[in-house]
């Protein structure tokens, strides 16, 4: 069930606003399900909940998730509360439960934006071309353990930002690269929630290689991405003894900024 659409699909129950979902183990980092994947699952349920009354509200313009505990691959339930159905945007709250609350998100849904001559945005960074970047493996021998998500997301780090793999981090706290779906599916606006969390923690580039579980992730989707590999850059805003603040930006092949995110994560040294 590697395909993104299947892996995130909620199944409605007879009770309005309640869904079931089968969380796919392939979308994991080590033994833990990927945070961006979980947000995509919640955003899919939110879209389904407004599909009849607001069918044009297909884009998760803002999703802020709080991670209470790490759910296991397998069955889980979703509860969607519609807070407001507006003409331009709908606001919802979604909770994923698995033996208790696991993830809760506040969602703003609306139409996907179209390019405009009035758009003002940062230019994409210059990266080593996609085909010249090695694909990230799903298993490693450097202490990071298994990375099953790398079998479904073709992630390629720019070698100029991977000194940490050679024991020589730059100290800048910045990692960049590319992301494409292994299935060949085009990225959707909900798929951007995965891309905005798919790179390794940028603290790796500061020599801090421990696990960094996400505590809160706020992702903003700007536009529906054009087909093709997406350009991603992620950097540390602040890193302390046991917490870090990290930012991420994503551009599509047309050079448009299509998403950005900020997260609070723990640092496990």
């Amino acid at each position: 069930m590697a395909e993104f659409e299947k892996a995130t699909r909620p199944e409605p129950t007879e009770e309005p606003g309640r869904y079931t979902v089968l969380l796919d183990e392939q979308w994991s980092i080590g033994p833990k399900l990927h945070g961006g994947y979980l947000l995509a699952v919640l955003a899919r349920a939110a879209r389904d909940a407004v599909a009849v009354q607001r069918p044009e509200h297909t884009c998760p313009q803002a999703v802020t998730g709080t991670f209470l505990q790490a759910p296991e691959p397998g069955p889980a339930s979703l509860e969607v509360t519609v807070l407001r159905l507006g003409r331009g945007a709908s606001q919802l709250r979604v909770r994923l439960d698995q033996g208790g609350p696991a993830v809760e998100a506040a969602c703003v849904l609306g139409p996907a934006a179209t390019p405009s001559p009035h758009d003002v945005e940062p230019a994409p960074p210059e990266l080593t071309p996609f085909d010249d970047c090695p694909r990230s493996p799903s298993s490693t021998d450097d202490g990071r353990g298994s990375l099953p998500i790398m079998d479904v997301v073709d992630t390629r780090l720019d070698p100029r930002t991977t000194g940490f793999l050679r024991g020589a981090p730059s100290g800048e706290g910045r990692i960049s690269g590319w992301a494409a779906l292994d299935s060949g599916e085009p990225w959707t606006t909900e798929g951007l929630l995965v891309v905005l969390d798919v790179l390794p923690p940028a603290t790796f580039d500061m020599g801090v290689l421990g696990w960094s579980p996400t505590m809160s992730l706020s992702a903003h989707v700007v536009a529906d991405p054009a087909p093709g590999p997406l350009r991603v850059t992620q950097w540390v805003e602040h890193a302390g003894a046991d917490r870090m603040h990290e930012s991420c930006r994503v551009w599509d092949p047309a050079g448009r900024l299509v998403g950005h995110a900020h997260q609070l994560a723990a640092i496990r040294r």
Side-chain angles (χ1 to χ4, degrees):
M1 201 169 75
E3 297 90 345
F4 180 73
E5 195 279 331
K6 291 182 180 178
T8 57
R9 181 188 299 160
E11 298 292 342
T13 69
E14 294 181 356
E15 188 175 352
R18 292 188 178 272
Y19 300 81
T20 61
V21 65
L22 185 63
L23 299 175
D24 191 336
E25 63 183 357
Q26 292 180 97
W27 297 81
S28 300
I29 299 290
K32 306 296 184 183
L33 287 163
H34 181 257
Y37 163 70
L38 292 171
L39 287 195
V41 169
L42 272 63
R44 284 284 305 273
R47 173 160 62 93
D48 190 85
V50 301
V52 173
Q53 293 172 287
R54 295 292 186 271
E56 71 279 15
H57 290 178
T58 60
C59 177
Q61 295 179 350
V63 181
T64 297
T66 300
F67 297 83
L68 308 172
Q69 63 174 335
E72 300 290 335
S77 62
L78 295 155
E79 180 179 357
V80 181
T81 302
V82 178
L83 304 175
R84 176 178 176 270
L85 286 173
R87 284 178 294 180
S90 296
Q91 287 88 15
L92 306 95
R93 183 172 61 246
V94 188
R95 190 179 75 192
L96 185 147
D97 286 272
Q98 191 185 69
V103 185
E104 184 162 295
C107 302
V108 178
L109 302 184
T114 55
S116 164
H118 303 293
D119 290 346
V120 177
E121 59 190 28
E126 292 294 328
L127 299 183
T128 300
F130 177 83
D131 289 335
D132 295 334
C133 295
R135 180 167 178 169
S136 297
S138 59
S139 60
T140 68
D141 56 6
D142 59 7
R144 287 180 292 155
S146 65
L147 305 168
I149 195 173
M150 296 305 159
D151 284 334
V152 288
V153 180
D154 182 352
T155 305
R156 306 190 181 202
L157 302 182
D158 189 329
R160 293 176 293 183
T161 68
T162 58
F164 64 89
L165 293 175
R166 304 181 293 276
S170 76
E172 182 183 358
R174 181 180 294 267
I175 296 175
S176 299
W178 302 88
L181 283 167
D182 185 74
S183 65
E185 296 171 90
W187 285 111
T188 63
T189 53
E190 285 146 355
L192 284 172
L193 301 175
V194 173
V195 182
L196 287 164
D197 190 37
V198 80
L199 296 189
T203 45
F204 283 13
D205 188 44
M206 303 173 75
V208 180
L209 299 179
W211 179 47
S212 298
T214 301
M215 302 172 72
S216 176
L217 174 60
S218 183
H220 293 234
V221 173
V222 177
D224 197 353
L230 301 180
R231 190 178 306 230
V232 191
T233 189
Q234 189 162 288
W235 66 95
V236 175
E237 299 280 6
H238 174 267
D242 61 355
R243 296 283 186 274
M244 75 164 174
H245 298 262
E246 188 177 63
S247 295
C248 181
R249 288 176 181 164
V250 176
W251 291 263
D252 72 1
R256 293 187 302 151
L257 181 74
V258 291
H260 56 93
H262 305 277
Q263 73 169 274
L264 170 67
I267 295 178
R268 303 283 190 257
R269 296 178 184 269

